[in-house]
Amino acid sequence: MADPADAMLQVYVCYAKAGEEFLRPMKVAPGTTIGAAIEMSGVLEAYPDINLSTQPVGIYAKKKTLDTVLRERDRIEIYRPLVADPKDSRRKRAAKKEGGAQPAA
């Protein structure tokens, strides 16, 4: 008879903040969702500022919903809000680069 532990899936839950990292390897039953794995991982207790109703989640940098069913070796990521708008940052870098360029002689 097959060992029930063999049927479990290996997944990882990760969350990062400036200077901090949470990475928890876990074994979960087939059919487990992203939301359930996050709750089981302990990350919500370690980081009470996480709000799953407003913060997106994903697997390997692809946004997913909390009811997505996990597969073997999935890495669940909880994303933080952006500190700066990427478009504004690019504009500022471009303006700085243009302002620092020397005119051709």
Side-chain angles (χ1 to χ4, degrees):
M1 187 181 290
D3 183 0
D6 291 340
M8 301 294 275
L9 304 174
Q10 176 72 50
V11 298
Y12 305 85
V13 175
C14 63
Y15 179 69
K17 291 178 77 166
E20 296 180 55
E21 178 183 297
F22 179 96
L23 179 61
R24 171 110 353 121
M26 300 174 55
K27 295 271 190 185
V28 297
T32 300
T33 63
I34 289 176
I38 289 172
E39 288 180 23
M40 290 186 284
S41 73
V43 68
L44 299 176
E45 289 78 22
Y47 297 94
D49 56 316
I50 294 174
N51 183 346
L52 293 179
S53 62
T54 60
Q55 288 178 248
V57 298
I59 296 175
Y60 289 113
K62 294 189 192 272
K63 285 187 182 178
K64 303 288 183 184
T65 61
L66 291 172
D67 60 355
T68 300
V69 176
L70 296 169
R71 296 184 301 185
E72 178 69 17
R73 305 189 61 68
D74 277 347
R75 183 183 72 211
I76 303 158
E77 302 161 338
I78 303 167
Y79 305 118
R80 292 179 294 126
L82 294 175
V83 175
D85 179 13
K87 289 181 184 178
D88 287 340
S89 297
R90 279 192 292 276
R91 280 190 211 105
K92 288 177 185 174
R93 283 194 306 273
K96 186 175 180 181
K97 192 173 185 180
E98 287 175 9
Q102 298 294 325

